[in-house]
Amino acid sequence: MSRVKLIVGNWKMNGSFAANTTLLSALTAVPAVKIIVAPPFVYLASSYAQLTDSTIELAAQNVASEAQQGAYTGEVSALMLAELGAKYVIVGHSERRQYYGETDALVAQKCLRLQEAGLKPIICVGETLAEREAGQVEMVVSRQLKAVIDSCGIDLLAQAVIAYEPVWAIGTGKTATPNDAQAVHQFLRQLVTIYDKNIAEKLSILYGGSVKADNAASLFAMPDIDGALVGGASLIANDFLAICHAANASYVG
Ligand code: PGA
Protein backbone atom coordinates (compact mmCIF):
# COMPACT_ATOMS: atom_id res chain seq x y z
CA MET A 1 0.00 0.00 0.00
CA SER A 2 1.17 3.55 -0.57
CA ARG A 3 1.56 5.70 2.49
CA VAL A 4 1.81 9.49 2.22
CA LYS A 5 5.41 10.44 2.92
CA LEU A 6 6.15 12.20 6.19
CA ILE A 7 9.13 14.50 6.68
CA VAL A 8 9.96 15.64 10.20
CA GLY A 9 12.50 18.39 10.87
CA ASN A 10 14.21 17.84 14.21
CA TRP A 11 15.78 21.19 15.02
CA LYS A 12 17.45 19.82 18.17
CA MET A 13 18.90 22.63 20.33
CA ASN A 14 19.07 25.15 17.51
CA GLY A 15 17.21 28.29 16.53
CA SER A 16 16.29 31.74 17.77
CA PHE A 17 13.14 33.81 17.35
CA ALA A 18 14.68 35.58 14.36
CA ALA A 19 16.12 32.47 12.70
CA ASN A 20 12.91 30.49 13.21
CA THR A 21 10.77 33.21 11.66
CA THR A 22 12.98 33.21 8.58
CA LEU A 23 13.08 29.42 8.34
CA LEU A 24 9.34 28.89 8.83
CA SER A 25 8.36 31.61 6.41
CA ALA A 26 10.42 29.88 3.73
CA LEU A 27 8.70 26.51 4.25
CA THR A 28 5.77 25.87 1.96
CA ALA A 29 3.42 22.93 1.66
CA VAL A 30 4.53 20.18 -0.73
CA PRO A 31 1.91 17.96 -2.43
CA ALA A 32 1.63 14.37 -1.19
CA VAL A 33 3.94 15.10 1.73
CA LYS A 34 3.11 15.74 5.34
CA ILE A 35 5.60 18.08 7.00
CA ILE A 36 6.26 18.40 10.73
CA VAL A 37 8.82 20.60 12.47
CA ALA A 38 10.15 20.02 15.99
CA PRO A 39 11.53 23.24 17.52
CA PRO A 40 12.89 23.42 21.08
CA PHE A 41 10.16 23.77 23.75
CA VAL A 42 10.61 27.52 24.14
CA TYR A 43 9.84 28.15 20.46
CA LEU A 44 6.74 25.97 20.21
CA ALA A 45 4.25 28.76 20.92
CA SER A 46 5.76 31.26 18.49
CA SER A 47 6.17 28.57 15.83
CA TYR A 48 2.55 27.53 16.31
CA ALA A 49 1.44 31.14 15.89
CA GLN A 50 3.45 31.47 12.71
CA LEU A 51 2.07 28.22 11.28
CA THR A 52 -1.61 29.05 11.88
CA ASP A 53 -2.49 29.12 8.18
CA SER A 54 -0.14 26.32 7.25
CA THR A 55 -0.58 22.56 6.97
CA ILE A 56 2.82 22.11 8.63
CA GLU A 57 2.38 20.53 12.07
CA LEU A 58 4.40 20.80 15.24
CA ALA A 59 6.27 18.24 17.30
CA ALA A 60 8.08 18.64 20.60
CA GLN A 61 11.45 16.98 21.15
CA ASN A 62 10.84 15.57 24.63
CA VAL A 63 8.20 15.12 27.32
CA ALA A 64 8.01 14.46 31.05
CA SER A 65 7.69 10.80 31.94
CA GLU A 66 6.11 10.86 35.39
CA ALA A 67 2.92 12.85 35.38
CA GLN A 68 0.96 15.65 33.73
CA GLN A 69 1.68 18.10 36.54
CA GLY A 70 3.36 18.24 39.93
CA ALA A 71 6.71 18.71 41.61
CA TYR A 72 9.02 17.82 38.71
CA THR A 73 11.35 20.80 38.38
CA GLY A 74 12.41 21.54 34.85
CA GLU A 75 9.99 19.14 33.19
CA VAL A 76 7.30 19.84 30.59
CA SER A 77 4.25 17.59 30.51
CA ALA A 78 2.34 16.12 27.61
CA LEU A 79 -0.78 18.13 28.43
CA MET A 80 1.28 21.33 28.39
CA LEU A 81 2.67 20.42 24.98
CA ALA A 82 -0.82 19.72 23.70
CA GLU A 83 -1.88 23.17 24.92
CA LEU A 84 1.02 24.71 23.00
CA GLY A 85 -0.24 23.19 19.76
CA ALA A 86 2.13 20.25 19.41
CA LYS A 87 0.54 17.19 17.83
CA TYR A 88 3.58 14.90 17.97
CA VAL A 89 6.50 14.33 20.33
CA ILE A 90 9.86 12.73 19.53
CA VAL A 91 10.71 10.06 22.10
CA GLY A 92 13.68 7.76 22.48
CA HIS A 93 16.02 9.79 20.30
CA SER A 94 19.51 8.31 20.56
CA GLU A 95 20.88 11.63 21.85
CA ARG A 96 18.53 11.34 24.81
CA ARG A 97 19.37 7.68 25.31
CA GLN A 98 23.11 8.44 25.05
CA TYR A 99 23.51 11.77 26.88
CA TYR A 100 20.62 11.64 29.36
CA GLY A 101 20.56 7.94 30.17
CA GLU A 102 17.07 7.31 28.83
CA THR A 103 16.19 3.64 29.00
CA ASP A 104 13.63 1.61 27.07
CA ALA A 105 11.43 1.67 30.18
CA LEU A 106 11.59 5.46 30.42
CA VAL A 107 10.76 5.86 26.74
CA ALA A 108 7.74 3.59 27.25
CA GLN A 109 6.63 5.69 30.22
CA LYS A 110 6.85 8.85 28.12
CA CYS A 111 4.66 7.17 25.52
CA LEU A 112 2.07 6.46 28.21
CA ARG A 113 1.97 10.17 29.09
CA LEU A 114 1.52 11.05 25.42
CA GLN A 115 -1.28 8.54 25.11
CA GLU A 116 -3.09 10.17 28.07
CA ALA A 117 -2.77 13.59 26.42
CA GLY A 118 -3.78 12.43 22.93
CA LEU A 119 -0.38 13.27 21.46
CA LYS A 120 1.36 11.09 18.88
CA PRO A 121 4.82 9.73 19.62
CA ILE A 122 7.58 9.62 17.04
CA ILE A 123 9.41 6.63 18.50
CA CYS A 124 13.10 6.50 17.63
CA VAL A 125 14.94 3.19 17.52
CA GLY A 126 18.39 2.34 16.23
CA GLU A 127 21.61 0.52 16.88
CA THR A 128 25.11 1.76 17.63
CA LEU A 129 28.01 0.89 15.35
CA ALA A 130 29.26 -1.72 17.83
CA GLU A 131 25.81 -3.34 17.91
CA ARG A 132 25.65 -3.40 14.10
CA GLU A 133 29.09 -4.94 13.89
CA ALA A 134 28.06 -7.56 16.46
CA GLY A 135 25.05 -8.51 14.30
CA GLN A 136 22.57 -7.21 16.87
CA VAL A 137 20.55 -4.74 14.79
CA GLU A 138 17.27 -6.69 14.86
CA MET A 139 17.68 -7.60 18.51
CA VAL A 140 18.22 -3.96 19.52
CA VAL A 141 15.43 -2.36 17.51
CA SER A 142 12.91 -5.04 18.47
CA ARG A 143 13.81 -4.65 22.15
CA GLN A 144 13.37 -0.88 21.90
CA LEU A 145 10.02 -1.12 20.12
CA LYS A 146 8.61 -4.00 22.18
CA ALA A 147 9.23 -2.04 25.40
CA VAL A 148 6.77 0.56 24.12
CA ILE A 149 4.23 -1.98 22.82
CA ASP A 150 4.35 -3.93 26.10
CA SER A 151 3.56 -0.80 28.15
CA CYS A 152 1.15 1.03 25.88
CA GLY A 153 -0.47 -1.70 23.81
CA ILE A 154 -0.32 -2.19 20.07
CA ASP A 155 -3.11 0.36 19.47
CA LEU A 156 -0.63 3.11 20.28
CA LEU A 157 1.07 2.37 16.98
CA ALA A 158 -2.11 3.34 15.13
CA GLN A 159 -1.34 6.88 16.39
CA ALA A 160 2.44 6.71 16.31
CA VAL A 161 5.32 7.08 13.91
CA ILE A 162 8.51 5.02 14.12
CA ALA A 163 11.87 6.47 13.15
CA TYR A 164 14.71 4.08 12.46
CA GLU A 165 17.87 6.04 13.18
CA PRO A 166 21.12 4.08 13.22
CA VAL A 167 23.16 5.92 15.86
CA TRP A 168 26.32 5.82 13.71
CA ALA A 169 24.53 7.73 10.94
CA ILE A 170 23.26 10.66 13.01
CA GLY A 171 25.07 13.91 12.29
CA THR A 172 28.06 12.00 10.90
CA GLY A 173 27.45 12.33 7.18
CA LYS A 174 27.26 8.52 6.99
CA THR A 175 23.93 7.20 5.79
CA ALA A 176 22.72 3.64 5.80
CA THR A 177 22.49 2.37 2.24
CA PRO A 178 18.90 2.30 1.00
CA ASN A 179 19.01 -1.51 1.04
CA ASP A 180 20.37 -1.71 4.61
CA ALA A 181 17.76 0.77 5.82
CA GLN A 182 14.98 -1.02 3.92
CA ALA A 183 15.97 -4.32 5.58
CA VAL A 184 15.48 -2.83 9.05
CA HIS A 185 12.26 -1.03 8.08
CA GLN A 186 10.86 -4.27 6.68
CA PHE A 187 11.87 -6.09 9.84
CA LEU A 188 10.11 -3.48 12.01
CA ARG A 189 6.94 -3.63 9.92
CA GLN A 190 6.93 -7.43 10.11
CA LEU A 191 7.34 -7.20 13.86
CA VAL A 192 4.26 -4.97 14.10
CA THR A 193 2.38 -7.29 11.71
CA ILE A 194 2.65 -10.05 14.29
CA TYR A 195 0.54 -7.89 16.59
CA ASP A 196 -1.76 -6.22 14.06
CA LYS A 197 -1.55 -6.43 10.27
CA ASN A 198 -3.76 -3.42 9.64
CA ILE A 199 -1.76 -1.14 11.93
CA ALA A 200 1.49 -2.40 10.38
CA GLU A 201 0.33 -1.58 6.86
CA LYS A 202 -0.62 1.97 7.75
CA LEU A 203 2.35 2.67 10.03
CA SER A 204 4.82 5.36 8.90
CA ILE A 205 8.39 4.20 9.42
CA LEU A 206 10.82 7.06 8.85
CA TYR A 207 14.54 6.82 8.26
CA GLY A 208 16.86 9.23 10.06
CA GLY A 209 20.60 9.79 10.01
CA SER A 210 22.30 12.27 7.68
CA VAL A 211 19.38 12.50 5.27
CA LYS A 212 20.22 15.18 2.70
CA ALA A 213 18.76 16.39 -0.58
CA ASP A 214 21.15 14.19 -2.53
CA ASN A 215 20.46 10.87 -0.78
CA ALA A 216 16.75 11.31 0.00
CA ALA A 217 15.34 10.06 -3.31
CA SER A 218 17.11 6.70 -3.18
CA LEU A 219 15.94 6.13 0.41
CA PHE A 220 12.35 7.11 -0.42
CA ALA A 221 12.31 4.67 -3.34
CA MET A 222 12.37 1.79 -0.85
CA PRO A 223 8.95 0.23 -0.17
CA ASP A 224 9.09 0.44 3.63
CA ILE A 225 10.75 3.87 3.97
CA ASP A 226 7.88 6.29 4.47
CA GLY A 227 9.82 9.50 4.93
CA ALA A 228 12.59 10.95 7.04
CA LEU A 229 13.49 12.40 10.40
CA VAL A 230 15.90 15.13 9.41
CA GLY A 231 18.32 16.86 11.75
CA GLY A 232 21.01 19.12 10.29
CA ALA A 233 19.37 19.60 6.90
CA SER A 234 16.10 20.71 8.49
CA LEU A 235 17.71 23.99 9.59
CA ILE A 236 18.23 25.18 6.03
CA ALA A 237 14.93 25.85 4.27
CA ASN A 238 16.11 24.96 0.77
CA ASP A 239 17.72 21.72 1.90
CA PHE A 240 14.67 20.69 3.90
CA LEU A 241 12.31 21.56 1.06
CA ALA A 242 14.47 19.62 -1.40
CA ILE A 243 14.03 16.53 0.81
CA CYS A 244 10.26 17.16 0.89
CA HIS A 245 10.19 17.45 -2.90
CA ALA A 246 12.12 14.18 -3.22
CA ALA A 247 9.41 12.60 -1.06
CA ASN A 248 6.70 14.03 -3.29
CA ALA A 249 8.47 12.71 -6.40
CA SER A 250 8.58 9.22 -4.90
CA TYR A 251 4.85 9.13 -4.17
CA VAL A 252 3.09 6.61 -6.35
CA GLY A 253 -0.48 7.32 -5.24
P1 PGA B 1 20.94 14.31 11.21
O1 PGA B 1 20.04 14.00 12.49
O2 PGA B 1 19.99 14.41 10.03
O3 PGA B 1 21.64 15.59 11.50
O4 PGA B 1 21.87 13.15 11.05
C1 PGA B 1 18.94 13.13 12.43
C2 PGA B 1 18.31 13.01 13.80
O5 PGA B 1 19.03 12.96 14.79
O6 PGA B 1 17.07 12.97 13.93
Side-chain angles (χ1 to χ4, degrees):
M1 80 172 279
S2 58
R3 291 167 289 268
V4 170
K5 291 279 193 291
L6 170 61
I7 308 295
V8 183
N10 175 11
W11 294 2
K12 308 192 179 183
M13 196 173 71
N14 292 292
S16 65
F17 285 116
N20 302 346
T21 305
T22 309
L23 175 55
L24 289 177
S25 56
L27 296 186
T28 44
V30 173
V33 180
K34 178 167 174 165
I35 302 176
I36 298 173
V37 293
F41 284 148
V42 292
Y43 299 125
L44 282 168
S46 56
S47 299
Y48 184 70
Q50 199 180 337
L51 293 172
T52 319
D53 297 321
S54 164
T55 55
I56 297 172
E57 292 196 296
L58 271 188
Q61 298 175 19
N62 192 15
V63 65
S65 58
E66 297 303 318
Q68 301 297 351
Q69 59 175 31
Y72 300 97
T73 303
E75 292 293 293
V76 178
S77 79
L79 283 177
M80 294 170 185
L81 295 173
E83 235 187 352
L84 278 173
K87 295 277 184 295
Y88 294 79
V89 177
I90 299 170
V91 288
H93 192 282
S94 67
E95 286 153 13
R96 300 225 45 98
R97 293 180 192 262
Q98 226 177 324
Y99 306 143
Y100 303 97
E102 294 199 5
T103 60
D104 293 341
L106 187 76
V107 173
Q109 221 173 323
K110 291 184 173 192
C111 287
L112 282 172
R113 298 292 85 76
L114 296 178
Q115 226 171 0
E116 287 166 4
L119 291 178
K120 299 176 183 187
I122 300 171
I123 305 160
C124 301
V125 298
E127 81 287 356
T128 63
L129 187 57
E131 288 163 339
R132 173 162 283 263
E133 285 171 351
Q136 296 172 341
V137 177
E138 295 187 352
M139 190 195 77
V140 170
V141 297
S142 59
R143 190 201 69 219
Q144 292 170 331
L145 184 57
K146 276 181 181 166
V148 172
I149 298 173
D150 288 350
S151 290
C152 303
I154 191 64
D155 285 350
L156 176 77
L157 293 191
Q159 309 300 326
V161 172
I162 294 177
Y164 168 57
E165 298 206 305
V167 179
W168 48 272
I170 296 176
T172 57
K174 291 183 197 150
T175 325
T177 65
N179 284 327
D180 283 348
Q182 163 61 21
V184 182
H185 283 231
Q186 191 177 9
F187 171 79
L188 287 165
R189 198 177 307 282
Q190 277 165 355
L191 178 67
V192 177
T193 303
I194 297 168
Y195 295 85
D196 190 309
K197 188 166 179 288
N198 192 33
I199 289 176
E201 274 175 7
K202 292 187 177 141
L203 181 64
S204 287
I205 307 180
L206 311 183
Y207 171 79
S210 298
V211 175
K212 308 280 178 225
D214 59 2
N215 59 24
S218 58
L219 289 160
F220 298 156
M222 294 290 135
D224 288 294
I225 300 184
D226 305 314
L229 179 54
V230 184
S234 72
L235 299 171
I236 301 157
N238 282 342
D239 291 0
F240 189 61
L241 280 175
I243 293 168
C244 296
H245 284 290
N248 176 40
S250 72
Y251 184 67
V252 285

